[in-house]
Amino acid sequence: MNIQIRKFYYGDIPEETGGNSSSSNASNETGWPLWEVFIRSKQGLDHKHAGSLHAADAQMAIENARDVYTRRQEGVSIWVVESKHIHATNPDEAEMFYEPASDKVYRHPTFYDLPDEVKHM
Amino acid sequence: MSIHELEKIFQNKIDKEIKIEPKDWMPEAYRKTNIRQISQHAHSEIVGMLPEGNWISRAPSLKRKAILIAKVQDEAGHGLYLYSAAETLGSSREQMIDDLHSGKAKYSSIFNYPTLTWADMGAVGWLVDGAAILNQVMLCRTSYGPYARAMVRICKEESFHQRQGFESLLVLSKGTKEQRDMCQDAINRWWWPSLMMFGPKDSESTNSDQSIKWKIKRKTNDELRQQFVDMIAEQVKLLGMTLPDPHLKWNESRKHYDFGEINWDEFWNVVKGNGPCNKQRLEARVKAHEEGTWVREAALAYAVKKQSRTKAKVA
């Protein structure tokens, strides 16, 4: 039986297609690299991942992001980063990776029983 | 872990309504089905710009022209959201576009019908986008995370498409006799192809069962089609127009509208490439892509040049 399990470690996009370097890539002569887009919807809020797009360079990525992701004033600020620069955790190791936080209930305020008389706490 | 165990974990996640994300393990068939469906969906958005683009320069007023441009631009955007979602599954943009151009990949058959009059713009918005929305609302809850997120964004924008279409027909329905006739004629031509958009009957659909088990789809073709008929049969009354189906009738015991039989020969014929505009649509896409080659190459060459200049400065 031929079992093929593919794992992608860096970002949401598989490495082999996750943007090529700007020097030429033989099989992909006209392919623009892939960029991840982050948008701040209004002042005071964090930038949030909105999606991805292809563009030749950062300036084009920002302009395309405006046209693709903010046609209805969804943003006041845009970040773009080439997808190949995103590093991510591996879901197969998630259990081990996040496990240390799971038995530390004392990190939450609800762990502490206080008398009802205590106000403003 | 054996593949059987991995599949069990996977199905368990689906059953518990946990979304599947790009880096999670998934059966190859789930990956393939999603790539096929999402890329088809993306192609439909892109090809869907063509019948409407036809009327941008012929819109009856500046207002209608601005609305139409905005709608067509949205469709380009929707295509891009969807291509990105499909790319997270390992399919490259170039491959998908090649598959569309070679005829290997399909797109919604509805766009192989011509838009003959201005009223068609209204009918397309109301009926075609209306049918698409029912499918898309369901897909906002699809099990593959990036697809679901793209659909949420699309649904937010799509509602404007349907409303502007209905409103544009409403204006025609209150106009001169010629305008009213044009409105009715457009409805007559678009009604049956819109019903076909939901795909073959459940009894003849090959992908349905597995897609529902994997929660890619949550409603069957026939369920969605019935929902559409019930909705439109009421809305058409407000236009003072009729739907071209003598069998359309409220069924009190089913609490649904009964409707006539779809011409499935026509459906399969258009799917197989023999619709009124199949050839024209594909040629338009291929031409646009080929004529844009030099732009893509120039932009890349410019980026490389700029980068090497920056490097030289730093050094």
Side-chain angles (χ1 to χ4, degrees), chain A residues 6-11 13-16, chain B residues 22-23 31 88-90:
Chain A
R6 302 171 62 186
K7 291 180 190 160
F8 308 134
Y9 293 104
Y10 302 103
I13 308 287
E15 271 170 278
E16 60 268 30
Chain B
K23 296 189 297 170
R31 182 186 301 278
T88 64
L89 289 162

Side-chain angles (χ1 to χ4, degrees), chain A residues 57-60, chain B residues 301-311:
Chain A
D57 58 26
Q59 190 193 342
M60 186 195 271
Chain B
Y302 177 70
V304 171
K305 193 166 109 184
K306 226 170 39 173
Q307 211 172 36
S308 63
R309 274 193 190 153
T310 327
K311 269 187 200 145

Side-chain angles (χ1 to χ4, degrees), chain A residues 74-117:
Chain A
E74 289 95 336
V76 294
S77 166
I78 295 174
W79 287 351
V80 294
V81 58
E82 242 188 279
S83 307
K84 68 178 178 189
H85 296 310
I86 301 227
H87 297 253
T89 52
N90 173 6
D92 293 348
E93 290 159 11
E95 209 173 319
M96 193 175 69
F97 195 76
Y98 298 107
E99 193 272 335
S102 70
D103 60 353
K104 295 178 180 60
V105 283
Y106 48 84
R107 283 180 172 164
H108 297 277
T110 47
F111 178 73
Y112 303 92
D113 266 334
L114 297 183
D116 291 345
E117 292 76 40

Side-chain angles (χ1 to χ4, degrees), chain B residues 194-262:
Chain B
S194 301
L195 286 189
M196 295 176 199
M197 282 175 71
F198 297 97
K201 280 191 196 177
D202 294 349
S203 51
E204 278 154 46
S205 178
T206 46
N207 304 316
S208 239
D209 286 351
Q210 186 61 67
S211 284
I212 285 192
K213 190 173 165 235
W214 279 336
K215 295 190 182 165
I216 297 173
K217 287 173 67 170
R218 288 170 182 266
K219 289 181 181 174
T220 69
N221 296 353
D222 286 338
E223 281 168 356
L224 286 168
R225 186 161 22 235
Q226 181 70 60
Q227 203 183 339
F228 179 70
V229 171
D230 291 348
M231 190 174 87
I232 299 298
E234 289 300 317
Q235 290 172 354
V236 74
K237 293 177 187 168
L238 296 167
L239 293 174
M241 300 282 149
T242 56
L243 297 175
D245 180 359
H247 299 287
L248 186 80
K249 198 170 164 246
W250 178 251
N251 182 326
E252 187 56 35
S253 64
R254 283 202 318 131
K255 299 283 178 205
H256 285 298
Y257 275 91
D258 289 337
F259 54 99
E261 187 64 25
I262 289 167

